[in-house]
Amino acid sequence: MSLEMDAANSGSSIFNNNNNNSDDNLKCGKLKGVNSTKQSKKSDGKQDSSEKYQEKIATIRSMFAKEYESHPELYDECDHRKVMEKDFWVSRFMADPSESVEDSYEKLRSTMEWRRSFGVNSFDPFTIPKEIYQIAALIPYEKDRQGRPTLYIRGKIHRKIEQLEDKIKHYLVNVIEQLDSAKESRESWIIILDASDANFFNTDLDMIMFLFGTLRNRYPRGVATALLYGLPWLLGAFANMVISFLPSDSVAKIKFGGKKELNELIDESNLPDWLGGTCTVNYRRVPKGAISCYEMAEKEFNMTKADVDKLIKPFIQYLKPELCVEVDP
């Protein structure tokens, strides 16, 4: 009797446990099934999104191919190849997912037309006087801690010179083009805007707006960040005015900082000497055969030596031709 009761109780216990386990397994099975379905749908959603993204690239590419076929004189052949062969040169104009295909295409098309009319692919280094190279105010340099190339713009060396303004803009775009073309991928390089020791004589609103406008409209998604380094408090109001003119997506890339922020971005071994770095790579590179500002001023602007002396006086201390190295153009 006792054995029967024990057996019954034991059987009942085992049976109940099996039932409970079955219920639990069934519930887990349902949960797993639901999760699997959700994951599958999520995965399908990602795939669908990726497919739509690629379809948009293909559509924009096809639209530009037709445009190029109809108006080849408006575009450079090498730029046409970029659009046809490299997804980044299409996707960089698709940053806003809410934009229509037509809007993204027009951004790309207008940029390709601008590149031809501005002469991005036909820059002549000999249109820049050698003194501009010697003062080293615009320097593509060594990589940051994430392996991204850097561009240094030294504010205290810049002065607005009307005769050279257009040339400087072309020189600036050429340097940007070199950095952007190095990887041709999203947020692949950075800018250090060195404002240390700058003053009101160095401010140039037109050039600053040209820089940020070019980066935003012609090289979107190229720059990861722009560090405004060592801004003197006297130029704080000017900096705020500039920022007020910029769209929010450009402002989001600008960071203010000093030595700490600079060292967080770039290792000391890759920093140039004037910023306390130990890198020995020569940044004063002058194309072989570059002519002097005196020769250029006489030929192109009919200026006298005395006129040029006045213009270059603020730059004399930065020339240092003995530290320069000649490079093949």
Side-chain angles (χ1 to χ4, degrees):
M1 188 71 180
S2 174
L3 289 174
E4 288 176 357
M5 288 293 296
D6 287 345
N9 289 338
S10 176
S12 175
S13 175
I14 293 172
F15 182 78
N16 288 338
N17 285 341
N18 284 342
N19 273 348
N20 289 339
N21 287 341
S22 296
D23 289 341
D24 289 342
N25 287 338
L26 185 60
K27 290 176 183 177
C28 289
K30 286 182 179 179
L31 289 173
K32 287 178 181 177
V34 170
N35 286 342
S36 297
T37 303
K38 286 183 178 179
Q39 288 173 359
S40 176
K41 286 182 178 179
K42 187 175 182 181
S43 176
D44 289 342
K46 285 183 178 179
Q47 184 176 357
D48 183 56
S49 176
S50 177
E51 287 176 356
K52 287 182 178 179
Y53 191 75
Q54 290 301 320
E55 286 175 6
K56 189 173 181 179
I57 289 177
T59 300
I60 294 172
R61 182 173 280 150
S62 177
M63 292 168 72
F64 184 68
K66 292 178 181 178
E67 167 65 15
Y68 181 77
E69 185 177 353
S70 300
H71 304 287
E73 73 282 358
L74 297 179
Y75 313 97
D76 282 340
E77 183 182 356
C78 59
D79 287 337
H80 171 255
R81 286 199 303 270
K82 283 183 178 181
V83 175
M84 294 299 107
E85 298 172 3
K86 299 177 180 179
D87 284 357
F88 177 66
W89 269 96
V90 181
S91 65
R92 73 186 313 169
F93 296 98
M94 296 161 46
D96 187 349
S98 66
E99 279 186 342
S100 66
V101 169
E102 290 74 17
D103 288 340
S104 296
Y105 161 72
E106 182 53 31
K107 287 181 178 180
L108 180 147
R109 189 210 62 77
S110 65
T111 293
M112 295 302 122
E113 184 176 1
W114 169 82
R115 288 173 65 86
R116 173 62 180 263
S117 62
F118 193 82
V120 173
N121 298 305
S122 55
F123 173 75
D124 181 359
F126 298 120
T127 59
I128 308 298
K130 68 178 180 182
E131 287 82 2
I132 295 298
Y133 296 110
Q134 289 175 342
I135 61 176
L138 191 63
I139 305 169
Y141 209 53
E142 299 303 290
K143 296 177 181 179
D144 72 352
R145 292 183 184 274
Q146 296 185 37
R148 300 171 297 193
T150 56
L151 171 61
Y152 293 84
I153 300 178
R154 303 180 68 184
K156 73 174 184 179
I157 300 180
H158 178 76
R159 290 291 182 98
K160 188 179 182 70
I161 300 177
E162 185 179 347
Q163 293 87 343
L164 295 180
E165 189 169 354
D166 186 63
K167 293 179 181 292
I168 297 301
K169 287 180 178 178
H170 280 78
Y171 178 36
L172 173 60
V173 169
N174 178 254
V175 174
I176 291 174
E177 176 73 9
Q178 291 178 37
L179 289 166
D180 191 79
S181 299
K183 288 189 176 180
E184 292 186 319
S185 60
R186 183 175 179 178
E187 297 184 342
S188 60
W189 57 285
I190 67 171
I191 297 178
I192 307 299
L193 299 165
D194 180 13
S196 56
D197 299 323
N199 56 49
F200 285 110
F201 293 107
N202 306 120
T203 59
D204 187 344
L205 182 60
D206 177 68
M207 191 63 71
I208 292 176
M209 297 307 293
F210 174 79
L211 168 64
F212 282 103
T214 299
L215 293 174
R216 182 177 189 266
N217 299 320
R218 307 310 181 188
Y219 295 90
R221 308 177 93 174
V223 175
T225 188
L227 176 65
L228 184 51
Y229 173 81
L231 180 71
W233 69 270
L234 286 172
L235 295 183
F238 178 77
N240 288 332
M241 179 185 69
V242 171
I243 289 175
S244 71
F245 291 149
L246 299 176
S248 58
D249 55 343
S250 294
V251 174
K253 291 181 179 289
I254 301 175
K255 302 183 185 302
F256 292 77
K259 191 71 174 177
K260 176 177 176 291
E261 289 74 17
L262 181 64
N263 288 335
E264 287 175 353
L265 268 178
I266 306 167
D267 189 82
E268 187 180 89
S269 62
N270 276 353
L271 278 175
D273 53 6
W274 86 85
L275 288 174
T278 59
C279 187
T280 58
V281 174
N282 196 327
Y283 50 81
R284 298 177 183 274
R285 307 183 187 105
V286 182
K288 293 178 181 177
I291 65 174
S292 73
C293 58
Y294 290 95
E295 185 178 351
M296 186 173 292
E298 183 181 2
K299 287 182 178 179
E300 296 187 27
F301 307 113
N302 196 29
M303 295 174 65
T304 66
K305 182 180 181 301
D307 294 331
V308 179
D309 284 340
K310 291 179 182 178
L311 285 178
I312 71 167
K313 185 177 180 180
F315 305 102
I316 295 296
Q317 61 179 314
Y318 304 114
L319 287 176
K320 301 180 180 179
E322 71 280 2
L323 299 180
C324 296
V325 58
E326 287 192 332
V327 296
D328 292 326

